[in-house]
Amino acid sequence: SAVISQKPSRDICQRGTSLTIQCQVDSQVTMMFWYRQQPGQSLTLIATANQGSEATYESGFVIDKFPISRPNLTFSTLTVSNMSPEDSSIYLCSVEGDTEAFFGQGTRLTVV
Amino acid sequence: SQKIEQNSEALNIQEGKTATLTCNYTNYSPAYLQWYRQDPGRGPVFLLLIRENEKEKRKERLKVTFDTTLKQSLFHITASQPADSATYLCALEGTYKYIFGTGTRLKVLA
């Protein structure tokens, strides 16, 4: 199993600003995943973060909008840049075990 | 494309009854299917996994069935309690990532 600490748990931000979300895992993992969960929607994968290489982004998500850092095997950050109200959502980081996913508590972002 | 469907309407049941949630999928034959619980303001928590060669899996008051012909999984909570109130997500392993359903919100009434 894995324990993931994610912060902040929530934030209210002004449009046009940026927010960086941090995710710390209690063990070394090769891949970390960032998801977005909009109200009433399923979890949507934003990108996969590998240590030592560029993150891999899913269709519809770009690095300029969601830059990701992965400085070591236990830590990653996701930045939501130049925010607009449409970015209001829950953002989750995740790691995978053998047959299941482990999630951080999520960051509830509201853009006003 | 791979798709998972869960009943988006909330399910309200009386305490002590059995809750049954449905997960249907298309365009895929997963090796296994997972169920997660998500409480408000929290990330999903893994509950159960059932493999394609298993018809049924149990864990305490939870039971999951997997019908690969119907492409459907059923998730049962027996003797439901108000503490079981949460959103339940099913997920399957896609080509290279997990694919999650939208979840069904369950409310157990005391």
Side-chain angles (χ1 to χ4, degrees):
Chain A
S1 67
V3 177
I4 303 174
S5 300
Q6 182 176 341
K7 59 181 181 181
S9 58
R10 59 176 60 226
D11 208 340
I12 301 173
C13 300
Q14 296 290 324
R15 67 176 66 201
T17 63
S18 298
L19 175 72
T20 295
I21 302 167
Q22 299 180 5
C23 191
Q24 178 77 50
V25 189
D26 69 343
S27 58
Q28 294 184 339
V29 293
T30 303
M31 294 190 291
M32 295 179 71
F33 303 87
W34 288 97
Y35 289 86
R36 182 174 71 183
Q37 187 177 30
Q38 294 179 309
Q41 303 294 315
S42 63
L43 279 70
T44 301
L45 183 64
I46 297 171
T48 302
N50 292 313
Q51 194 270 332
S53 64
E54 291 284 334
T56 303
Y57 289 82
E58 296 297 305
S59 176
F61 299 96
V62 295
I63 188 171
D64 290 345
K65 175 67 175 177
F66 297 101
I68 287 172
S69 77
R70 185 78 203 275
N72 57 53
L73 291 173
T74 63
F75 187 80
S76 180
T77 67
L78 170 76
T79 299
V80 186
S81 303
N82 188 26
M83 289 184 285
S84 66
E86 291 70 37
D87 294 320
S88 297
S89 186
I90 296 173
Y91 294 85
L92 294 150
C93 66
S94 173
V95 301
E96 292 184 359
D98 291 337
T99 54
E100 73 265 44
F102 302 95
F103 292 88
Q105 69 179 68
T107 297
R108 182 180 292 274
L109 170 62
T110 302
V111 184
V112 298
Chain B
S1 61
Q2 300 152 353
K3 190 176 179 181
I4 294 182
E5 291 184 349
Q6 294 184 257
N7 191 344
S8 59
E9 295 183 9
L11 176 64
N12 294 333
I13 64 167
Q14 285 297 130
E15 182 177 10
K17 301 292 186 182
T18 296
T20 299
L21 285 64
T22 304
C23 176
N24 296 294
Y25 60 92
T26 57
N27 298 328
Y28 196 63
S29 296
Y32 56 82
L33 187 145
Q34 306 162 330
W35 284 90
Y36 292 80
R37 168 179 174 147
Q38 186 173 23
D39 292 287
R42 310 293 294 181
V45 174
F46 172 77
L47 294 175
L48 274 172
L49 175 149
I50 186 165
R51 300 184 186 279
E52 61 178 340
N53 61 348
E54 297 175 316
K55 296 293 185 186
E56 181 180 296
K57 197 80 165 282
R58 292 176 184 262
K59 180 181 177 181
E60 298 174 352
R61 294 185 295 110
L62 308 180
K63 185 179 83 171
V64 173
T65 63
F66 194 9
D67 188 325
T68 55
T69 301
L70 293 178
K71 294 188 182 295
Q72 180 181 80
S73 176
L74 298 178
F75 178 82
H76 306 272
I77 305 176
T78 59
S80 60
Q81 305 166 1
D84 296 325
S85 298
T87 297
Y88 292 86
L89 308 169
C90 67
L92 56 79
E93 186 187 29
T95 305
Y96 64 95
K97 60 183 179 182
Y98 288 119
I99 301 171
F100 290 86
T102 55
T104 299
R105 190 168 71 251
L106 171 68
K107 186 170 183 179
V108 181
L109 306 171

